[in-house]
Amino acid sequence: MSADIYVFADDAGKMSDPESQIVSCASLVLSKYQVDDINSRMDKLKERVGREGINIDDPKFEFHTHEIFRGEKLWKSMEQNRRMRVLHSIKEIFPQDPMFAVIRLNKQKFATRSNNRLRRDIKQLVFQVKEQLPNEEITELEKATRHLDPKRGFGELHEITMLLFGLTSGLIHWERMEGSTETIVDSQFLKKIDGWQFVFRLNDIAWLKASSQIRIPTWPKDNQPTWRLGDKVWEKDSVSCYGLQLADYIAYTTKRLQWKRGNKALPEARQTEREMESLSFVRARKFKQMYDYRGIELYVSGKVAMARLENRPPESPYWIRKHIIQNKKKRLPR
């Protein structure tokens, strides 16, 4: 590893799974020193669970949060309370104030209208970037995407991950993290995102000019952060990368948080929610909703970055219409 900053990204939940209402994508930002420290501490945890009966010699062994929490695959033999201790041990391995970004998508709330609006804005972003490039650069970039299925485009999670990496870049920028950056993504995550090398190249070339003209990724238009993730994204198997396993931990624990408080739930579900809140670094109420795209929530861990994240874009026609209607309802006599 030769970079100063490392970004690890993974997701939890499936767009195609009808039983999975929430999809969560997370990125974890670590310094080189933090990566080395985490690798050492995770190795010690691996030895510990090996002594407790888990087959750590299996080539598929990893600290996959979903499997640990549910007691699946290699974790079947371990009782629930011991598995919870393992998950709390993983949480303690994170840096004291971890830097991460999360996008949560509620598939039921993310209706066709919001989806179409987000896709339109992403297309506008790509078009604006292309407009600023010389013809030879456009030709080279288009060659990289000729293999893509025109109906599928950049993949089912393209728009959401575009927002995730925009948030991550802003997090690095606003928290004043200096040095070169290397972005590492789980190989299973990348299979859902065709053409990401192309998108990274575009962002690296003209992120500032293009992103300041549209609503995403909701940073103030007159004070856009620079693109800090470089022009490449590296693919790794999470089995061999502790950074990706920790990104998976953030994605899964935030995915399982209740979307909004006050929903009726069975006692078993409430117990699961309490367990998840004890494991997660975020509380459900801390997420900020994207008012332009219903069903999407955002969170960045840095205090400066979160403060600069616009919760209610004043230029949003959707937001304006919504609050005019609400104010009219308040004035109506009973």
Side-chain angles (χ1 to χ4, degrees), residues 69 252-253 256-257 272-280:
F69 187 77
Y252 184 76
T253 54
R256 291 296 301 268
L257 291 174
T272 300
E273 185 184 347
R274 285 193 293 270
E275 290 173 343
M276 276 300 152
E277 287 194 343
S278 71
L279 292 171
S280 178

Side-chain angles (χ1 to χ4, degrees), residues 5 11 16 38 96-97 145 166 175 201 213 217 244 289:
I5 303 169
D11 67 327
S16 57
I38 283 170
Q96 185 174 0
D97 296 307
T145 58
E175 298 302 323
R201 289 283 301 282
Q213 297 177 39
L244 289 175
Q289 181 182 342

Side-chain angles (χ1 to χ4, degrees), residues 21-22 104 106 108-109 255-271 273-274 277 284-285 297:
Q21 183 183 357
I22 308 296
R104 286 212 309 168
N106 186 317
Q108 184 177 359
K109 293 178 180 293
K255 169 189 176 294
R256 291 296 301 268
L257 291 174
Q258 187 174 314
W259 185 262
K260 282 188 178 180
R261 294 185 177 277
N263 294 344
K264 293 182 179 179
L266 297 173
E268 296 85 356
R270 289 198 293 270
Q271 174 64 26
E273 185 184 347
R274 285 193 293 270
E277 287 194 343
R285 62 179 177 272
E297 289 187 331

Side-chain angles (χ1 to χ4, degrees), residues 156-204:
E156 60 184 5
L157 291 179
H158 164 242
E159 292 83 6
I160 304 304
T161 46
M162 188 79 164
L163 293 175
L164 175 68
F165 289 127
L167 282 177
T168 308
S169 191
L171 173 65
I172 295 172
H173 174 87
W174 294 121
E175 298 302 323
R176 300 182 182 277
M177 302 178 73
E178 301 296 335
S180 60
T181 306
E182 188 170 299
T183 304
I184 302 169
V185 187
D186 180 52
S187 56
Q188 298 300 314
F189 182 74
L190 264 188
K191 285 180 180 177
K192 303 169 187 173
I193 321 292
D194 292 334
W196 258 110
Q197 299 293 355
F198 171 78
V199 175
F200 263 63
R201 289 283 301 282
L202 285 179
N203 287 333
D204 187 55

